[in-house]
Amino acid sequence: MKRHGSKGYGKTAKIGAAWGVFREAVKLVIFLPGAMLLARMLSPEDFGISAAAVLVITLANRLGTLGLNSALVRLKTIRSDHLSTVFTYNLAVGAAAFAALQFAAPSIARFYRRPEVGDAIAVAAVSFLFVPFGSINTAIFQREMRFKETAISEWVFAVIFPLVAVALAWSGFGFWSTVYGQLAARLSQVAVQVYQGRCWPRLHFSLPAFREVAPFGAGVAANRLLVFSTENVDSIIVGRLFGIAALGYYDKAFNTMSKLSEKLVVDPGVTFRIFSIIQDDAPRFHRAYRKVILSSALVGLPFFFALIVMAPELLQVMYGPQWAPSILPFQLLCIVGALRVANGYSSAAIMAAGYAWARVGRSFLRIVVLVVAIFALQSWGIVGAATAVLVASLSSTVMTQTLLNRLVGLRWRQLAGPVLPGLVCTAILVPALVGTEFVVTSWLSAPSALILLAAKALTAVAVFVGFVVSFRIAGMAAVVEEVLADLAPPLQRFYVRVHRKLRGMEPVADAQRGVA
């Protein structure tokens, strides 16, 4: 970064946010048609088997760097021996993981009581061999805030997966279509990352360089492993307790929530990098964090609670009536999605402040809470599993915010204040959506799911835009004005004029609004 003033970093963060929204919007446009086709071409059993295998590919993508990438991003300066050491280490770990999964695949198949699961996992484990080749370039993109390169590599994955998976499903490959589709998409993504970065570190291991990145990287890796376990242990238990078909229904609900929540999260890597740069300036760090939380709550809370109301129509339109058992778990998991959006930034702030190991114990405790809750609620089936995830997420949110309070110095009042605009918007939005359903069903005796979904979606957009334009709550207007000023000055001027007419007041400075 060449700019070191608060204005420069603030604008860079907003540009990163804009790129993130654009990147995820394009991915969503690509994702939806493929997801809709696959849901109609494959059975719940196919999705259950592939879910167990794709879990391995996801693990490779999450842990392929063993946390050392984050250490590269956070270092003040990096040398060539840092890059070569991390690359060599990642390759060695990937090869070891591939060998371990080949050995473990039969045992995993017996655990699920389906031999197909073992076969799929053995193939999916190949991802461990090539993911490390793109890891160094990913760290460089994040460190240098090269938003375009990150977006392109993710778009490649989003395009290749549905093309390959749908073609194979059409040809009768069943669950193999999603396994091969994920592998092909991930390999293509790595190839693009290597091409864009043009960085090919040599095979060389430097012990001094490793010692500089290992302590922080190991803490990040431990947290990633625990977070991954928390996000997937429920699926593992569901597959064991209730069978592969139940896992298919549950995975459809969880995966849909995850995909939609990803569209709302401004790349945590961007905020992590900026938080890392300003970590020593506490007032500035606090202001930046509160702005991020205000923005994420303002968008995330109304979005996910709107999805709860629209869930019956949304899943029927997207996947078909055969996926009705996924509706209630999806509604419960939408609350988890809202919590996940905020917790992602909290984790980035804690990590950027240098406390990589601080969350390990709490993450482990969350896993314990999750497992105990799933078994306690197993009589409720996949609805009980979704409820257990919600309980664990609530406990994790409290622990994370308490930790942030203690380590970073943000008090509960400072953390709760920025959430208020999102809560108020949600309190207005939900009754409006319920009222819309009442009006449409009264006007049309039996409206189709598509008509109901369209009516609710239009209502949600109208209420949200009206709220942002009309209300002026606890710093919300100041943040909106600042974002528009950096990204769309004409809209910012329009926004200010509207507020002057509605409220008869001049724009209020950030410091007067409580969020600087």
Side-chain angles (χ1 to χ4, degrees):
M1 293 257 330
K2 295 181 180 180
R3 293 167 295 183
H4 297 282
S6 61
K7 192 72 176 176
Y9 287 135
K11 186 168 184 177
T12 300
K14 296 179 188 70
I15 293 173
W19 262 106
V21 171
F22 178 58
R23 181 188 71 220
E24 295 301 329
V26 172
K27 287 168 62 178
L28 182 62
V29 171
I30 299 170
F31 160 76
L32 284 176
M36 294 169 70
L37 287 172
L38 288 173
R40 288 162 172 80
M41 298 169 72
L42 301 177
S43 68
E45 287 85 357
D46 289 329
F47 275 99
I49 294 169
S50 65
V54 168
L55 181 110
V56 176
I57 299 178
T58 306
L59 177 63
N61 189 46
R62 293 280 186 90
L63 301 183
T65 64
L66 269 270
L68 300 186
N69 260 21
S70 295
L72 293 178
V73 173
R74 189 175 181 274
L75 284 175
K76 297 294 183 183
T77 58
I78 56 174
R79 305 184 304 270
S80 60
D81 59 335
H82 287 135
L83 301 178
S84 61
T85 297
V86 171
F87 176 64
T88 302
Y89 186 76
N90 289 343
L91 276 179
V93 171
F98 170 78
L101 282 169
Q102 299 304 310
F103 177 78
S107 298
I108 297 173
R110 287 192 294 271
F111 174 84
Y112 282 106
R113 296 187 286 265
R114 292 293 292 263
E116 302 96 326
V117 173
D119 296 337
I121 284 177
V123 173
V126 173
S127 57
F128 277 99
L129 298 179
F130 57 76
V131 164
F133 286 93
S135 62
I136 300 301
N137 291 299
T138 301
I140 293 174
F141 297 159
Q142 185 176 344
R143 181 181 177 84
E144 298 178 356
M145 298 186 189
R146 292 162 61 178
F147 309 124
K148 180 179 178 182
E149 285 83 350
T150 300
I152 290 174
S153 68
E154 294 195 16
W155 289 339
V156 167
F157 180 92
V159 169
I160 297 299
F161 171 69
L163 287 178
V164 174
V166 169
L168 292 177
W170 182 268
S171 302
F173 277 74
F175 67 87
W176 285 111
S177 58
T178 55
V179 175
Y180 290 142
Q182 286 271 352
L183 277 174
R186 192 66 68 194
L187 181 59
S188 301
Q189 183 182 38
V190 171
V192 169
Q193 289 168 343
V194 172
Y195 174 77
Q196 290 182 126
R198 308 294 173 89
C199 177
W200 194 271
R202 58 197 177 97
L203 282 173
H204 171 73
F205 186 86
S206 166
L207 187 58
F210 182 74
R211 286 173 176 165
E212 292 179 40
V213 297
F216 183 83
V220 173
N223 274 290
R224 284 183 179 174
L225 180 59
L226 289 170
V227 169
F228 180 85
S229 300
T230 304
E231 292 177 350
N232 293 279
V233 70
D234 52 331
S235 296
I236 295 172
I237 297 174
V238 165
R240 173 65 179 181
L241 291 180
F242 311 124
I244 287 297
L247 176 58
Y249 287 119
Y250 182 79
D251 181 71
K252 183 61 66 179
F254 194 97
N255 191 48
T256 303
M257 180 277 292
S258 295
K259 291 292 185 185
L260 292 173
S261 66
E262 289 171 2
K263 312 311 171 193
L264 291 185
V265 178
V266 176
D267 188 357
V270 176
T271 52
F272 172 70
R273 177 58 180 157
I274 292 177
F275 286 157
S276 297
I277 294 171
I278 63 175
Q279 60 180 292
D280 297 324
D281 187 343
R284 190 177 175 192
F285 188 96
H286 293 177
R287 289 195 300 270
Y289 179 76
R290 292 170 65 198
K291 284 183 180 181
V292 168
I293 292 302
L294 190 151
S295 302
S296 63
L298 178 61
V299 177
L301 287 174
F303 178 80
F304 279 106
F305 278 86
L307 286 180
I308 292 173
V309 181
M310 295 190 291
E313 298 81 29
L314 178 67
L315 294 191
Q316 182 174 341
V317 170
M318 286 183 63
Y319 305 132
Q322 68 270 28
W323 291 96
S326 299
I327 293 174
L328 184 52
F330 174 73
Q331 290 173 315
L332 291 167
L333 292 169
C334 279
I335 305 176
V336 177
L339 296 172
R340 177 187 285 189
V341 171
N343 286 340
Y345 297 118
S346 300
S347 299
I350 292 171
M351 294 290 185
Y355 301 107
W357 284 96
R359 295 186 64 244
V360 172
R362 289 164 177 80
S363 298
F364 180 77
L365 182 58
R366 180 186 173 183
I367 295 175
V368 173
V369 171
L370 175 59
V371 172
V372 170
I374 290 176
F375 280 98
L377 300 172
Q378 64 177 300
S379 60
W380 295 5
I382 60 175
V383 174
T387 304
V389 174
L390 176 56
V391 170
S393 295
L394 287 170
S395 67
S396 177
T397 298
V398 173
M399 289 187 291
T400 299
Q401 299 308 319
T402 302
L403 182 65
L404 194 67
N405 185 331
R406 180 170 64 85
L407 296 180
V408 184
L410 285 164
R411 304 304 173 196
W412 276 103
R413 180 179 59 82
Q414 294 174 296
L415 297 172
V419 180
L420 179 62
L423 289 174
V424 175
C425 183
T426 302
I428 298 171
L429 178 62
V430 170
L433 292 178
V434 174
T436 298
E437 181 172 0
F438 176 78
V439 170
V440 173
T441 53
S442 299
W443 183 40
L444 302 174
S445 57
S448 67
L450 182 59
I451 290 176
L452 265 177
L453 180 62
K456 289 180 179 179
L458 289 173
T459 299
V461 172
V463 169
F464 179 78
V465 173
F467 176 83
V468 172
V469 171
S470 304
F471 281 73
R472 204 172 179 95
I473 301 176
M476 181 186 76
V479 172
V480 173
E481 287 177 22
E482 183 180 330
V483 171
L484 293 178
D486 283 335
L487 299 180
L491 288 179
Q492 188 264 349
R493 292 190 289 271
F494 171 77
Y495 178 78
V496 171
R497 285 197 300 271
V498 168
H499 267 293
R500 286 176 177 174
K501 291 180 180 179
L502 291 175
R503 299 294 181 185
M505 62 174 66
E506 294 297 323
V508 180
D510 283 353
Q512 295 175 294
R513 285 291 158 194
V515 178

